[in-house]
Amino acid sequence: MTTTVKPPARAEWTVIALLVVLSVVPLVAGAFRLGELATGAPVTADNARFAASPLPVVLHILAASPYCLLGAFQFSPALRRRRPRWHRASGRLLVPLGLVAALSGLWMTLFYAVPAIDTGFLTVQRLVFGSAMAAALVLGFVAARRREFARHGAWMVRAYAIGQGAGTQVLTNVPWMILVGEYDQLSRALLMGAGWVINMAVAEWVIHRTLRRPRGVRRVPERPAV
């Protein structure tokens, strides 16, 4: 005989905690930007585009921040099983939040007068990943409506991975700044792109390990009765 052993909840909460931590730096940066706009901070070359057209960046920050934080809790299978209504309700909130974050990011890439260092290959990457995030959210929503839940989960993981790009980009940019110093247009584009690529690689690993394989539980032999 065998006895079912549930995976430890601690591992799930560790994943959630790491995702929340990954969201902290972009969240703080977004809060700082909102503070600048709200208080009428002096206009500089760094913030002139935001001061001239604040709505897109405000929408982006107000959508991306809760998307990353709330989305982290969707990675708990136990929470999804025990509170399916919460999972559905938060999902209905996450999809529009993610779409606003992706579409506002695309708008800023296309129409803001960005610094020269953020043009070229980085612009192409932002357009590709922003469009991919929006598409993944739509495909995930459609899959859920069709009750194709494995496919729904896979697309939502991909969308979240792209949305968390800003957090991972902190990890790819900071070591370069410490060890090398300033970067040129190409090195900045490669470092930013590395953040998205790392997240997408992790996302595909998660999908392969947990969503595309049949769900199972660890089993251990039951001790014989005395």
Side-chain angles (χ1 to χ4, degrees):
M1 295 180 64
T2 57
T3 301
T4 300
V5 178
K6 294 182 180 180
R10 181 179 300 177
E12 294 180 9
W13 286 108
T14 299
V15 171
I16 292 171
L18 290 174
L19 292 174
V20 169
V21 170
L22 197 64
S23 307
V24 168
V25 174
L27 191 151
V28 171
F32 177 78
R33 184 69 69 192
L34 290 178
E36 278 189 332
L37 294 171
T39 59
V43 177
T44 65
D46 179 59
N47 65 13
R49 60 191 184 279
F50 305 126
S53 181
L55 182 60
V57 69
V58 170
L59 289 175
H60 186 74
I61 294 169
L62 293 181
S65 297
Y67 176 80
C68 290
L69 291 174
L70 181 60
F73 292 88
Q74 301 289 70
F75 284 83
S76 170
L79 192 59
R80 294 198 301 269
R81 288 193 302 269
R82 294 170 188 167
R83 298 183 179 274
R85 290 183 180 178
W86 178 89
H87 174 71
R88 289 192 294 268
S90 60
R92 293 188 182 105
L93 181 60
L94 284 167
V95 170
L97 285 174
L99 285 173
V100 170
L103 295 177
S104 60
L106 289 171
W107 195 98
M108 291 188 290
T109 300
L110 289 170
F111 300 111
Y112 270 170
V114 299
I117 199 170
D118 284 348
T119 58
F121 184 38
L122 180 53
T123 295
V124 173
Q125 291 182 96
R126 283 175 167 159
L127 293 175
V128 168
F129 284 107
S131 300
M133 179 178 173
L137 287 164
V138 172
L139 290 170
F141 176 78
V142 171
R145 298 289 293 177
R146 293 176 177 174
R147 303 187 68 80
E148 298 172 349
F149 296 121
R151 184 171 296 176
H152 161 75
W155 284 118
M156 289 307 179
V157 168
R158 294 184 181 111
Y160 186 79
I162 297 172
Q164 273 285 17
T168 308
Q169 285 158 358
V170 174
L171 303 179
T172 59
N173 278 264
V174 169
W176 177 279
M177 295 174 64
I178 294 174
L179 298 174
V180 180
E182 294 185 2
Y183 32 54
D184 57 17
Q185 187 183 80
L186 178 59
S187 59
R188 174 163 168 77
L190 292 175
L191 291 168
M192 295 289 282
W196 284 307
V197 171
I198 290 170
N199 282 11
M200 292 305 298
V202 172
E204 293 304 322
W205 179 83
V206 169
I207 292 166
H208 177 74
R209 291 295 298 270
T210 64
L211 296 178
R212 287 185 174 170
R213 291 182 178 179
R215 291 185 179 180
V217 292
R218 294 184 295 120
R219 308 179 80 86
V220 298
E222 188 179 86
R223 293 182 179 179
V226 177

